[in-house]
Amino acid sequence: MKKWTKIVLLLLVVTLVLSAVAFGAKYKKNPPWVIGFSQIGSESEWRTADTISIKDALSEDPNMSLVYADAQQKQENQIKALRSFIARKVDVIVFTALVETGYGPVLQEAQKAKIPVIMVDRDVAKEDQQYRLTIMGSNFLEEGRKAANWLADYLKKQGIDDGKKPVNIAELQGTVGSAPAIDRKKGFEEIMKGHPNWKITHSQTGNFTRAEGKPVMEAFLKADKDIQVLFAHNDDMALGAIQAIKEAGLKPGKDIIVVSMDGVKGIFEAIIAGEANCTVECNPLLGPQAVQAIYDYMEGKKLPAKIDTIEGIFDQTTAKEAFPTRQY
Ligand code: GYE
């Protein structure tokens, strides 16, 4: 063999060995990785889209194997599922917290077992955030502000709000103690401070479902017909309430302004039909972002404490045009 051929061959071998070493060291742990995903349930159109997005992204990735647990809106089921993930030593936990409090001990157990927890959508309370790696999802506080700011603008344009006459608002709250219910309310009320004539005259939970949104709105209307605005913490409750408004002989979208959050297909249809007025988008398609976060973790990259999603707002002037491009 000629000398230069030997050198080329040697270089080739060195390159191959080096790249093999580099590849082997690419991840903290060699794939496939077992990912435990604890979802809260299936209360809304939003949740369905979110579950499909995360399950698809995780199960379509050849490096991941998914273990799925649906808590059916019960915190104790969720804590059990998290403990079973820890017991079977999954590589990563993906977790949406039904409510903010009560997960401290189980999150500490995960941390002790060195299992990273990547939160999706609903976060835990401040004091427990130190036990999870990151959270990805929406800024619920900002969503509440957006809804109130849209309302202020709309009332002004319609000549309904003179700054003095009371504007009576009925509120359908999400699941009590959940991050989106707490923060959407807070954000909305923050903007309300600049409108002293706005009043929340009724406020109750409808648990983020159509089935509960309807009877709660019925009860509001039975007690009092003088409601100008419905602020619902999600579209599903708004859709249930729209039904109740109609059955009470009133026109949703006209007699009562309907503002909600999520941006699901059902509310787009209602907005286009003139029966709802505005939805603040909350993007449930978090699967690809969750997968990215798992890779980042496995590659030893530092993850930001919070990964925000970018979202819009839709009303009767924009819903029709945007509808064909909606993915959920
Ligand atoms: O708005 C609602 C769902 O946590 C952001 O939960 C989510 C909320 C969403 O049930 O429809």
Side-chain angles (χ1 to χ4, degrees):
M1 217 185 282
K2 281 201 179 125
K3 195 176 166 197
W4 64 267
T5 326
K6 269 191 197 160
I7 292 172
V8 169
L9 274 176
L10 192 71
L11 277 177
L12 202 70
V13 169
V14 167
T15 319
L16 280 175
V17 169
L18 280 180
S19 61
V21 168
F23 183 74
K26 193 168 171 201
Y27 300 124
K28 277 192 181 161
K29 190 184 172 246
N30 283 338
W33 307 307
V34 180
I35 316 292
F37 170 33
S38 167
Q39 178 59 292
I40 61 169
S42 51
E43 72 283 1
S44 62
E45 271 189 57
W46 190 99
R47 186 65 52 202
T48 307
D50 173 61
T51 304
I52 293 173
S53 170
I54 296 170
K55 270 180 147 182
D56 282 359
L58 292 175
S59 48
E60 278 161 15
D61 192 292
N63 286 335
M64 299 185 197
S65 131
L66 169 67
V67 187
Y68 178 66
D70 174 352
Q72 303 190 334
Q73 307 295 325
K74 291 208 177 80
Q75 184 173 37
E76 65 264 31
N77 289 349
Q78 206 166 25
I79 292 173
K80 251 189 232 155
L82 293 172
R83 292 222 158 96
S84 84
F85 292 161
I86 297 168
R88 67 185 286 174
K89 298 188 167 62
V90 300
D91 296 301
V92 176
I93 290 176
V94 174
F95 169 45
T96 297
L98 177 67
V99 291
E100 286 191 339
T101 55
Y103 295 101
V106 72
L107 289 178
Q108 287 179 59
E109 288 163 33
Q111 196 178 55
K112 253 196 209 135
K114 297 200 166 55
I115 302 172
V117 176
I118 294 177
M119 307 236 19
V120 167
D121 170 30
R122 295 189 191 173
D123 207 353
V124 287
K126 268 230 162 58
E127 63 269 25
D128 295 331
Q129 290 173 4
Q130 56 184 307
Y131 307 121
R132 47 103 170 126
L133 186 65
T134 184
I135 167 90
M136 67 194 59
S138 305
N139 183 338
F140 304 133
L141 202 63
E142 191 53 33
E143 288 173 354
R145 293 183 190 125
K146 278 188 196 169
N149 280 326
W150 178 88
L151 181 65
D153 222 44
Y154 184 76
L155 291 173
K156 207 167 163 199
K157 273 191 204 137
Q158 300 291 308
I160 299 171
D161 189 1
D162 62 3
K164 288 186 200 84
K165 249 192 332 231
V167 173
N168 295 335
I169 303 170
E171 179 185 32
L172 277 170
Q173 295 185 33
T175 301
V176 175
S178 69
I182 295 169
D183 285 349
R184 286 171 180 169
K185 183 173 182 58
K186 220 193 253 170
F188 192 90
E189 286 177 350
E190 194 186 292
I191 302 300
M192 272 184 76
K193 286 195 190 119
H195 303 273
N197 58 321
W198 293 14
K199 279 196 185 68
I200 296 184
T201 49
H202 302 270
S203 182
Q204 212 176 298
T205 182
N207 262 318
F208 282 128
T209 67
R210 276 186 208 209
E212 285 181 65
K214 184 172 181 242
V216 176
M217 189 67 195
E218 264 165 22
F220 289 169
L221 288 167
K222 242 183 224 148
D224 165 19
K225 288 257 166 104
D226 192 17
I227 296 171
Q228 280 81 51
V229 178
L230 168 68
F231 166 46
H233 290 189
N234 83 341
D235 295 340
D236 280 67
M237 291 190 295
L239 289 164
I242 286 171
Q243 226 25 61
I245 296 171
K246 283 192 201 166
E247 285 170 22
L250 296 167
K251 287 200 178 78
K254 295 187 181 72
D255 298 328
I256 297 181
I257 297 162
V258 179
V259 186
S260 58
M261 333 210 119
D262 280 356
V264 299
K265 286 215 165 100
I267 206 74
F268 265 78
E269 282 159 357
I271 293 175
I272 293 166
E275 294 185 341
N277 302 81
C278 171
T279 186
V280 174
E281 184 180 35
C282 179
N283 185 1
L285 308 175
L286 299 165
Q289 246 178 310
V291 164
Q292 187 56 50
I294 293 170
Y295 274 101
D296 286 350
Y297 166 76
M298 287 296 180
E299 286 168 12
K301 290 186 188 150
K302 193 166 162 25
L303 283 123
K306 170 107 174 75
I307 306 168
D308 266 337
T309 40
I310 297 162
E311 289 152 348
I313 175 162
F314 301 94
D315 64 13
Q316 292 180 353
T317 64
T318 52
K320 200 168 175 186
E321 202 189 325
F323 187 58
T325 66
R326 299 297 297 165
Q327 289 180 67
Y328 63 94

